[in-house]
């Protein structure tokens, strides 16, 4: 037999109010750089190759997000890009957009005990490479979308006019950048289907912005 104390109605109301406030506050759905660095995100062996490949395939402009799935050997298995709609940065909205794209381009791995494939996110934006609250919301959204799709959460990379930067790692380079011409894809790269753009994720962002 076990004994316990039933929470008072006042305590229950307080907890519900706290949860409601947290769900309504976009700042609760972002990750600080220290939190991201402590999360054990796997390092890319060759980040420039990953960035150059995604840049060549999708040719992003500012406000373009590219989510890509890599196999254990860091070969690209699927990728998709979409444009971020004008709305306050919110990790929940970004999570839904990323999850919608992942579901369109690759089956989930939820039946696996341990994730095998890794999702990375490249976001092309204005400004410099320093962390912003928008970056924090993308980090939160990527981590949550990976959990819901059975993937490992991988690197978050920003692409600006100054170059590219793997946030939380301190690695980066000047090319490619938001203004540079795409490099030719390597001949040894396995062919992939043409990247998909727009679609359900764009609709999610458009509806969220209209609310």
């Amino acid at each position: 037999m076990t004994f316990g104390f039933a929470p008072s109605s006042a305590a229950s109301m307080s907890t519900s109010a706290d949860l409601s406030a947290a769900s309504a506050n976009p700042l609760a759905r972002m990750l600080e750089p220290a939190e991201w660095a402590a999360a054990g995100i796997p390092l890319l062996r060759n980040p420039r190759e990953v960035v150059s490949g995604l840049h060549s395939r999708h040719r992003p402009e500012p406000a373009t997000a590219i989510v890509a799935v890599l196999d254990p050997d860091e070969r690209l298995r699927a990728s998709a890009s979409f444009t971020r709609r004008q709305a306050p940065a919110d990790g929940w909205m970004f999570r839904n957009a990323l999850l919608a794209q992942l579901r369109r381009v690759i089956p989930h791995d939820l039946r696996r005990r341990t994730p095998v494939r890794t999702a990375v996110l490249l976001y092309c934006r204005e400004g410099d490479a320093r962390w912003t609250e928008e970056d924090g919301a993308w980090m939160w959204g990527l981590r949550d979308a990976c959990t819901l799709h059975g993937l490992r959460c991988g690197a978050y990379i920003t692409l600006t006019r100054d170059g590219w930067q793997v946030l939380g790692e301190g690695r980066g380079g000047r090319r490619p950048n938001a203004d540079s011409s795409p490099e030719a894809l390597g001949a040894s790269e396995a062919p992939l289907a043409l990247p998909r753009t727009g679609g359900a994720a764009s609709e999610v962002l458009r509806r969220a912005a209209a609310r």
Side-chain angles (χ1 to χ4, degrees):
M1 181 178 294
T2 58
F3 296 90
F5 297 92
S8 68
S9 58
S12 298
M13 290 176 63
S14 176
T15 301
S16 298
D18 291 342
L19 291 174
S20 297
S23 63
N25 180 14
L27 294 178
R29 296 186 288 272
M30 69 172 56
L31 294 176
E32 299 280 347
E35 294 176 294
W36 183 257
I41 305 299
L43 301 179
L44 290 169
R45 290 195 295 271
N46 193 336
R48 187 186 184 283
E49 183 176 308
V50 172
V51 173
S52 296
L54 295 178
H55 183 259
S56 297
R57 289 182 181 281
H58 294 270
R59 306 188 177 198
E61 297 179 349
T64 301
I66 304 170
V67 61
V69 179
L70 309 177
D71 69 11
D73 295 321
E74 256 182 39
R75 290 188 297 254
L76 183 62
R77 289 308 178 196
S79 64
S81 64
F82 60 96
T83 302
R84 178 208 190 304
R85 301 299 176 185
Q86 290 299 320
D90 188 330
W92 180 84
M93 183 176 70
F94 292 166
R95 186 275 308 273
N96 289 347
L98 293 170
L99 189 58
Q101 293 291 355
L102 288 170
R103 286 170 172 166
R104 291 175 59 239
V105 299
I106 199 163
H108 67 73
D109 277 348
L110 294 172
R111 292 186 180 89
R112 293 183 178 272
R113 291 185 177 179
T114 304
V116 173
R117 296 179 294 189
T118 302
V120 300
L121 177 60
L122 173 68
Y123 183 53
C124 181
R125 62 167 173 77
E126 301 285 0
D128 57 33
R130 286 176 295 184
W131 180 89
T132 66
E133 289 185 350
E134 181 185 24
D135 294 325
W138 280 116
M139 291 170 167
W140 190 97
L142 176 63
R143 185 186 65 177
D144 221 38
C146 288
T147 298
L148 295 173
H149 207 64
L151 302 170
R152 295 174 74 197
C153 180
Y156 172 68
I157 308 161
T158 58
L159 185 72
T160 66
R161 289 184 169 84
D162 294 333
W164 57 272
Q165 180 81 16
V166 184
L167 292 194
E169 294 183 19
R171 293 192 291 174
R174 294 185 177 180
R175 294 183 68 86
N177 57 60
D179 292 330
S180 64
S181 300
E183 299 178 5
L185 288 171
S188 61
E189 223 178 313
L192 288 176
L194 291 175
R196 303 178 183 182
T197 59
S202 295
E203 290 299 323
V204 169
L205 291 173
R206 189 178 298 112
R207 287 196 299 269
R211 289 186 184 135

